[in-house]
Amino acid sequence: MLSYAVRRLAWLIPTLLIVIGISFFMMRLAPGSPFATEENMPEIIRQNLEAAYHLNEPLWVQFLIYLGNLAQGDFGPSFQYTDYTVTELIWLGFPASLQVGGLAIGIAALIGIAVGMHAALNQNSWSDHLVMAVTMTGIAVPNFVLAPLAILIIGVYWGLLPAGGWGGGAWTHKVLPIATLAMTQIAYIARLTRGSVIETLRSNYIRTARAKGLPARLVMVRHTLRGALLPVISYLGPAIAGIITGTVVIEEIFGIPGIGRYFVQGALNRDYTLVMGVVIFYAVIIMALNLLVDVLYAVLDPKVRLS
Amino acid sequence: MPNLRHALGGASLAVIVGLAPAAAMVGWSADAAAATLHRGNAAEPQTLDPARATGVPESNIMRDLYETLVYHTVDGGIMPGAAESWTISDDGLTYTFTMRPDAVWSNGDPVTAHDFVFSYQRLVAPQTASRFAWLLNAVVNGEEIQAGDVPAEELAVVALDDHTLQITLDNPTPFFIELLKHGSLSPVHRPSVEAHGERFTRPGNLVSNGPFVLTEWLPQSHVRIERSETFHAADEVALDAVYYYPTPDLAAELSRFRAGELDMTYNAPADQMPWLRENMPDELRNPPWFGTYYITVNTQLEALSDPRLRRALALAIDRNAIVTHITQSGELPAYSWVPPGANDGSIDYDMQTVDFVDMPMEDRVAEAQAIMAELGYSEDNPLELEYVFNTSDLHRNIAIALASMWQPLGVEVELRNLEWQVYLDTTARAEHEVARAGWVGVTYGDASYFLEKFHPDAGEANSARYDNAEFGRLLNQARVTADPQARTDMMEQAEAIMMQDLPIIPIYHYATRRMVGTHVEGVVDNVRNVHASRFISIAE
């Protein structure tokens, strides 16, 4: 398995290069410029700005300059937030995204799997129907509806928790965003777990285990759950990557200083370096998590052999 | 296998705990007891370096951190800043400023004329690549330095001694004093800029000369500033500290205000204006703003090159209906390009309106229909017009309203929705037929800020490609006229011509929307939407 992991890691570099190449040229091909405003810009100033950021060089030269800087770990200065480098923006923002997103997905996984299993084991009971109805609502109501509602009721009307802001990272400021983010995830994970557990319970090897006279608890934990978790784990890999790198809606509504907004705002403002920085960062995280998922698959599923 | 889940959860928790101190390092002061103002500020400031800043959120913070030669009064007017007085030569070309003898930087260094020489040279130097370097185009060598033809030391901003600063202009610019309030013309502290380079604006590094000093800055969370004890008028500053928060989501900003977390907001959601007027009338501020929402018509296109057609389009727009039913935020119907409130620093500009301001709507539509019939258009033979706007519900709703107002004239409108950057690109290249646009005088209050935008030589800024020689001649003449009254007259004549030609069709003048807590004093409504924290206090 170790040699498998090493080989996968070696693939990281060519994959990253492809990601960097595609996003670099796609960003540059989009109309507009990082300096575009409604404000009139004299030609001299445009030229000075372009020279300062090497935008006056041919595109392939710019790409080589970018790769050269990248090789030295330099993501370059942000076009939009000019007082910070892209590396600084990511490292200042990532802890907030990671705390909110990591806790949200952790809580969602625990609750979602537990609720999903409960529903599966009590299939077609009233509690199963309740879980299915609630989770369907959870999936259907988007974050940008749930978040302002939660703020209005809990933050404004009841005054129980802050209505927004980061408050230096105080836990009270994290409750609402974490709960809002977790809600949708709980719904997904619960439905996924339920379906998967039901399917596994019908499989031949479970019937065999039962026929052998294994205690029900052992059948459940050692055999059913092990197989049933596979789809959940393959969902969680990319979901964790997505959620710990921040969510623009949640961050803007709750005022969380994370990096999720940089993906969207960076692209809208044509902040070339910032978008490249967060894309590379995200690519590395998602590749690492996918590797982890594959390794876990091998641990959980005897049919999978990594070679 | 349940252990696995715990292992997963545990691992992420460990990472989170490990990173928590990183957030704490940036700092957070609760400031429960002291006089602290919490302000919504629209967006994360892109920079606090005066030479690089371009937007309103940055300007708001810089106004508190730095003191320009001339400063903003509580209602957006002019008052002495780092210069306590000034004289202007008779030809209007030489400005001599006397610096405040008691002014010091936040580290105790005296603020001298040399600081402004350094800062202005830095602004125009080509390697600084400041987007607002053009503010000093009026100064001798200002433009040549940007072009790299002349070294920055040749800028005609000279320290005669530590306390006397002399600026020489190419052309008399009666609004030059008004211009000097601009945040890009804030002084920077040479030793700390040279010592820290790109990082001189960080808390701990930034040395500033204004009423407040920077103490915390966590991007996308907040900027915290504290009263500067070294500021020459520190005893007049009531607030101990101010927090600026980026508040891109207007509904969320309002919620934070209602929860008591913000003392004043930057904005208020337009769709909640009726509710706010009803329920929070004491907190809602809704004064006119120095800007115009308009339609830019591509006058290069053959069909649109006829001023009669543009007049017909302008006549048929029911501006009252648009501001009452669509925007609903206190906007004023616009019949001129320059909004109310233009002033060169001494003389009020009289805006020049179209001639149909007082004509009843039915008569206007009748005249418009007559013009269109004369030009050969009818509902059977319509003029097909593509209307460009950038993505926003407001712009879409206005476009739909315009389409229905123009339909009786025999105009068939096709809406074209563009992403912001593509929209900017399209209108700058004049690849549109008609397009919505907005222009707000955030840079300075002189009418030329509006009129010059459509000067025949304005290039891409002149999105209508308006090319009237007489209009251009009047503006050129105004540029070199020292007498403020004569200059204002010329600009008024120019606007009167423009309002006959209608290369742009004004729709409404903007209004600002802001929530200000009833416990906050010293926030005075003004068309420039300028609210320096040094005049604000919190009632007990």
Side-chain angles (χ1 to χ4, degrees):
Chain A
M1 193 185 299
L2 189 69
S3 71
Y4 171 80
V6 169
R7 257 181 295 135
R8 280 285 296 267
L9 284 174
W11 269 107
L12 206 81
I13 296 181
T15 316
L16 262 182
L17 276 176
I18 293 170
V19 169
I20 293 168
I22 292 177
S23 21
F24 184 91
F25 289 104
M26 268 175 62
M27 278 296 289
R28 304 300 168 112
L29 285 177
S33 114
F35 311 122
T37 55
E38 280 178 304
E39 191 78 44
N40 183 20
M41 189 183 298
E43 195 48 39
I44 300 171
I45 291 180
R46 188 195 306 277
Q47 284 167 8
N48 288 341
L49 269 167
E50 288 180 350
Y53 287 92
H54 302 297
L55 293 184
N56 52 353
E57 308 275 0
L59 207 52
W60 64 272
V61 175
Q62 293 182 38
F63 186 59
L64 291 183
I65 294 175
Y66 185 78
L67 285 184
N69 291 339
L70 202 61
Q72 301 164 37
D74 179 7
F75 284 84
S78 162
F79 281 84
Q80 194 190 1
Y81 303 109
T82 54
D83 292 7
Y84 289 86
T85 64
V86 169
T87 315
E88 283 177 310
L89 287 174
I90 293 176
W91 284 115
L92 283 170
F94 184 56
S97 295
L98 179 62
Q99 288 175 60
V100 170
L103 282 169
I105 195 80
I107 290 168
L110 290 181
I111 297 180
I113 291 173
V115 168
M117 274 179 59
H118 173 85
L121 294 178
N122 302 284
Q123 206 185 339
N124 294 326
S125 69
W126 66 267
S127 64
D128 179 29
H129 292 309
L130 181 72
V131 166
M132 286 302 102
V134 170
T135 53
M136 183 51 90
T137 321
I139 290 171
V141 179
N143 276 338
F144 59 82
V145 173
L146 199 58
L149 265 180
I151 290 175
L152 193 66
I153 294 170
I154 298 170
V156 177
Y157 291 158
W158 298 345
L160 292 177
L161 287 167
W166 186 235
W171 69 270
T172 47
H173 286 260
K174 292 178 200 155
V175 176
L176 282 183
I178 289 173
T180 314
L181 257 183
M183 212 66 90
T184 322
Q185 293 299 330
I186 290 174
Y188 272 113
I189 295 169
R191 293 183 77 89
L192 202 58
T193 310
R194 176 183 177 274
S196 174
V197 168
I198 289 173
E199 203 184 307
T200 312
L201 282 174
R202 289 184 191 138
S203 63
N204 287 333
Y205 73 91
I206 297 296
R207 199 173 304 128
T208 311
R210 282 190 178 140
K212 281 197 300 186
L214 280 181
R217 199 181 131 74
L218 214 55
V219 173
M220 190 63 217
V221 173
R222 188 180 292 170
H223 298 286
T224 312
L225 193 57
R226 193 166 167 165
L229 273 183
L230 292 173
V232 180
I233 294 211
S234 45
Y235 169 76
L236 277 178
I240 291 175
I243 212 164
I244 64 174
T245 48
T247 321
V248 63
V249 175
I250 293 291
E251 287 179 6
E252 294 215 330
I253 293 180
F254 287 102
I256 297 166
I259 59 171
R261 51 162 62 78
Y262 295 146
F263 290 88
V264 179
Q265 283 177 356
L268 291 179
N269 295 319
R270 307 290 189 271
D271 191 337
Y272 299 143
T273 43
L274 183 58
V275 169
M276 293 298 295
V278 288
V279 164
I280 294 169
F281 186 69
Y282 178 72
V284 169
I285 290 184
I286 199 155
M287 284 191 273
L289 281 166
N290 277 340
L291 175 63
L292 189 68
V293 166
D294 288 350
V295 171
L296 282 177
Y297 248 76
V299 173
L300 288 176
D301 187 347
K303 284 180 286 183
V304 174
R305 289 278 170 271
L306 300 179
S307 55
Chain B
M1 264 316 126
N3 290 340
L4 191 79
R5 293 197 316 253
H6 296 291
L8 262 179
S12 57
L13 268 176
V15 181
I16 292 159
V17 172
L19 278 162
M25 247 167 34
V26 186
W28 171 256
S29 317
D31 290 313
T36 303
L37 182 76
H38 298 268
R39 288 180 78 155
N41 196 35
E44 167 68 16
Q46 300 186 349
T47 171
L48 293 177
D49 176 353
R52 284 174 165 177
T54 55
V56 173
E58 296 85 65
S59 305
N60 288 338
I61 303 174
M62 292 197 310
R63 197 176 293 127
D64 289 347
L65 291 175
Y66 305 101
E67 188 178 39
T68 37
L69 281 177
V70 177
Y71 199 71
H72 314 257
T73 59
V74 67
D75 57 359
I78 292 170
M79 64 184 265
E84 62 177 5
S85 64
W86 52 86
T87 56
I88 305 169
S89 64
D90 291 339
D91 59 6
L93 294 179
T94 307
Y95 286 65
T96 310
F97 296 87
T98 305
M99 308 295 295
R100 247 173 232 289
D102 55 342
V104 288
W105 293 92
S106 51
N107 70 346
D109 291 352
V111 179
T112 68
H114 300 283
D115 291 316
F116 281 87
V117 173
F118 170 74
S119 306
Y120 286 13
Q121 286 180 0
R122 178 173 178 267
L123 183 75
V124 290
Q127 59 273 24
T128 310
S130 168
R131 291 190 225 183
F132 276 93
W134 60 266
L135 287 174
L136 293 180
N137 278 4
V139 177
V140 173
N141 286 335
E143 223 170 334
E144 290 78 359
I145 294 167
Q146 294 166 48
D149 299 337
V150 172
E153 294 71 36
E154 300 291 314
L155 186 70
V157 175
V158 182
L160 299 182
D161 58 52
D162 279 358
H163 296 290
T164 316
L165 183 75
Q166 194 177 69
I167 303 180
T168 315
L169 308 184
D170 279 320
N171 289 316
T173 308
F175 62 98
F176 190 66
I177 290 292
E178 153 74 16
L179 196 71
L180 292 177
K181 291 191 299 185
H182 195 274
S184 298
L185 297 172
S186 301
V188 289
H189 183 248
R190 183 171 193 163
S192 52
V193 171
E194 287 172 349
H196 302 293
E198 307 264 301
R199 303 169 67 91
F200 86 93
T201 59
R202 302 296 175 83
N205 292 352
L206 184 65
V207 174
S208 59
N209 72 330
F212 295 86
V213 288
L214 180 68
T215 56
E216 291 171 18
W217 183 5
L218 174 58
Q220 310 292 354
S221 169
H222 67 280
V223 166
R224 180 181 183 276
I225 58 177
E226 214 170 83
R227 181 175 49 212
S228 165
E229 297 310 327
T230 64
F231 183 58
H232 58 82
D235 52 347
E236 293 164 23
V237 178
L239 295 171
D240 295 314
V242 181
Y243 283 83
Y244 280 99
Y245 301 95
T247 46
D249 187 287
L250 304 194
E253 185 186 32
L254 179 61
S255 291
R256 292 183 71 183
F257 177 79
R258 292 175 63 194
E261 293 163 22
L262 296 180
D263 299 302
M264 61 189 278
T265 67
Y266 177 76
N267 211 331
D271 53 3
Q272 295 197 38
M273 285 299 284
W275 186 89
L276 289 171
R277 278 197 194 97
E278 184 76 22
N279 295 284
M280 305 181 82
D282 297 336
E283 286 95 343
L284 177 63
R285 305 285 189 91
N286 188 208
W289 194 22
F290 191 51
T292 306
Y293 187 105
Y294 63 101
I295 302 167
T296 168
V297 185
N298 189 346
T299 59
Q300 280 177 323
L301 300 176
E302 204 191 327
L304 298 172
S305 63
D306 190 332
R308 288 176 299 165
L309 179 97
R310 301 196 295 263
R311 179 178 169 87
L313 295 177
L315 276 166
I317 298 170
D318 187 345
R319 294 165 179 77
N320 279 316
I322 290 175
V323 300
T324 324
H325 300 299
I326 301 177
T327 62
Q328 299 188 50
S329 301
E331 292 83 358
L332 302 170
Y335 299 95
S336 66
W337 166 229
V338 180
N343 183 299
D344 68 359
S346 60
I347 294 175
D348 284 332
Y349 174 91
D350 283 328
M351 53 185 202
Q352 304 295 304
T353 57
V354 290
D355 58 11
F356 54 80
V357 184
D358 300 319
M359 202 191 281
M361 219 36 235
E362 310 86 79
D363 298 356
R364 280 203 235 162
V365 175
E367 189 191 328
Q369 281 172 324
I371 294 174
M372 293 302 278
E374 194 185 324
L375 293 174
Y377 296 109
S378 65
E379 294 207 39
D380 298 328
N381 176 32
L383 166 70
E384 284 171 12
L385 211 52
E386 189 184 67
Y387 184 95
V388 164
F389 61 100
N390 57 296
T391 312
S392 133
D393 286 344
L394 177 75
H395 303 327
R396 174 176 295 278
N397 291 341
I398 291 175
I400 293 169
L402 291 172
S404 71
M405 290 169 188
W406 286 340
Q407 200 206 351
L409 312 185
V411 177
E412 225 166 63
V413 177
E414 192 188 325
L415 303 188
R416 186 159 162 234
N417 182 3
L418 297 178
E419 186 254 5
W420 175 240
Q421 290 265 349
V422 183
Y423 158 85
L424 286 179
D425 207 49
T426 304
T427 49
R429 293 165 190 263
E431 284 166 359
H432 61 289
E433 295 181 355
V434 290
R436 65 76 36 183
W439 191 243
V440 180
V442 287
T443 307
Y444 52 88
D446 187 68
S448 63
Y449 186 70
F450 282 78
L451 297 169
E452 290 277 353
K453 183 169 163 57
F454 291 100
H455 188 286
D457 301 334
E460 292 193 343
N462 179 357
S463 55
R465 298 295 188 266
Y466 179 44
D467 189 13
N468 181 314
E470 180 61 9
F471 178 78
R473 191 191 64 76
L474 283 163
L475 290 185
N476 290 342
Q477 206 183 335
R479 285 180 189 170
V480 296
T481 303
D483 175 37
Q485 187 59 61
R487 176 178 173 274
T488 301
D489 291 344
M490 286 168 204
M491 291 194 299
E492 288 170 1
Q493 286 172 37
E495 190 185 17
I497 293 173
M498 189 183 180
M499 285 301 99
Q500 279 165 13
D501 290 344
L502 291 166
I504 61 109
I505 300 172
I507 300 193
Y508 59 78
H509 299 303
Y510 286 99
T512 43
R513 308 179 298 267
R514 152 177 284 123
M515 309 302 294
V516 180
T518 48
H519 60 291
V520 180
E521 290 171 356
V523 179
V524 177
D525 292 343
N526 62 77
V527 288
R528 301 296 304 283
N529 195 24
V530 164
H531 303 284
S533 301
R534 78 186 259 194
F535 305 117
I536 301 177
S537 58
I538 305 269
E540 290 303 318

